Amino acid sequence: MTDERYRVQSLGRALDLLERIADSGQAGARLTDLARDIGLSKPAAYAILATLRARGVVTDIGEGMTRRYRLGLSLLRLGDLAVANTGLADIALPVLRDLTHEIGMTSRVAMMDDGFAVVIGRVDAPGAIRFDAALGRREQPHCSGVGKVLLAAMPRSNALQLLERVGYPARTPKSLTSIAALSDDLDRIAGRHYAIDDEEDHEGIICVAAAVFGRGGQTLGAISVTTLKQLLPLESVASIADPLVRHADLISRALGGPSAQEAWALRPMTDARL
């Protein structure tokens, strides 16, 4: 809304104060500095801060001239609610558009649902090539890029139990069809932070996928890029994986999560078997 008639000046100033306090970090900000930055008198700035403090939006430390203001914990609850009310696809799609523009490949975002990877958003690459990536389609986790990276991000015992439950049939001659081979592949994925579907789900198609993490490092989903195998030989995958993981990190950060480097470090590699 841009009409000035509907803007509340005091609320705008309160939000400006919050921005300045956020910029100050853990050290906090002094009343004098906040009032000067916003263009308010000290009494006016103090009145707004007192109101925000009463609602837990800001907190203060110290006394007198040493008092500083920091963001309050009630903002953490609001942030969690904002993320919860914004779907993964809503956040991911603008990032996927940038990714597809950068590398010229179809990109997708998926979540795990009842043991299968389900595509919830897609950005098609320019050109005539279209891939079978219908929204809502269930994909076997052992042979799709998004499925494999989501498996690798799980505790290994959970991943192997899931595979035993949903099965790991041969989709193509290159599909991995033994627990030993699949577990070895999950180790490789955990080590390099991305998964490769090298014609394992569809012949002639290669897919590279990276996980998306939320607050506390929990796995929320995965993004992937897809192209013809003849356009992306295995020796060139690393050049695609770097921008892929970088864009996955952008989504993770928007969801309040850590980077891939940080999240995968919390998941020790193991060669556990069922």
Side-chain angles (χ1 to χ4, degrees):
M1 185 165 53
T2 60
D3 195 326
E4 294 290 340
R5 294 175 300 170
Y6 299 103
R7 293 191 178 184
V8 180
Q9 189 178 53
S10 59
L11 178 58
R13 287 172 172 170
L15 295 173
D16 288 340
L17 283 171
L18 287 176
E19 291 285 353
R20 297 302 190 279
I21 293 171
D23 290 342
S24 69
Q26 289 187 335
R30 298 186 306 165
L31 172 62
T32 301
D33 297 332
L34 290 170
R36 183 196 64 236
D37 291 345
I38 303 302
L40 293 173
S41 67
K42 288 176 62 176
Y46 180 80
I48 295 174
L49 289 168
T51 303
L52 295 174
R53 182 176 178 276
R55 301 299 293 267
V57 178
V58 302
T59 187
D60 58 355
I61 53 174
E63 296 290 340
M65 297 297 292
T66 65
R67 176 175 292 177
R68 291 177 176 269
Y69 292 88
R70 297 191 302 197
L71 296 181
L73 291 179
S74 69
L75 289 175
L76 182 62
R77 181 182 67 85
L78 294 176
D80 284 340
L81 288 173
V83 170
N85 291 333
T86 303
L88 173 59
D90 295 329
I91 293 175
L93 283 173
V95 179
L96 293 185
R97 282 191 282 271
D98 288 341
L99 176 61
T100 291
H101 177 75
E102 179 176 336
I103 66 175
M105 296 180 183
T106 294
S107 58
R108 307 184 305 161
V109 57
M111 299 176 65
M112 191 70 87
D113 179 52
D114 193 29
F116 295 87
V118 178
V119 178
I120 59 173
R122 182 183 75 241
V123 175
D124 288 323
I129 299 175
R130 290 292 182 267
F131 297 100
D132 180 17
L135 300 186
R137 194 193 77 175
R138 283 187 162 194
E139 299 185 357
Q140 288 281 346
H142 73 292
C143 58
S144 65
V146 286
K148 292 204 293 181
V149 80
L150 291 171
L151 284 173
M154 294 180 185
R156 185 57 51 84
S157 60
N158 292 359
L160 299 183
Q161 289 168 6
L162 186 155
L163 287 170
E164 292 287 12
R165 177 169 65 85
V166 303
Y168 34 95
R171 293 270 299 169
T172 75
K174 298 188 71 172
S175 301
L176 303 179
T177 57
S178 74
I179 285 292
L182 286 165
S183 191
D184 287 343
D185 195 31
L186 297 185
D187 285 342
R188 288 189 290 271
I189 294 167
R192 69 190 175 214
H193 305 166
Y194 61 89
I196 305 170
D197 158 17
D198 182 21
E199 300 185 275
E200 297 162 48
D201 196 28
H202 293 282
E203 292 187 72
I205 304 297
I206 187 168
C207 178
V208 187
V212 170
F213 302 97
R215 192 178 301 279
Q218 73 271 32
T219 311
L220 299 181
I223 65 172
S224 68
V225 291
T226 304
T227 191
L228 298 175
K229 176 61 184 290
Q230 65 192 50
L231 300 178
L232 184 65
L234 279 179
E235 58 268 23
S236 300
V237 165
S239 65
I240 297 302
D242 286 344
L244 173 69
V245 173
R246 173 163 43 84
H247 283 77
D249 282 351
L250 292 176
I251 301 170
S252 296
R253 292 301 193 193
L255 293 166
S259 67
Q261 189 70 32
E262 296 165 327
W264 285 105
L266 300 175
R267 290 164 165 78
M269 293 172 62
T270 175
D271 61 357
R273 303 287 190 270
L274 287 181

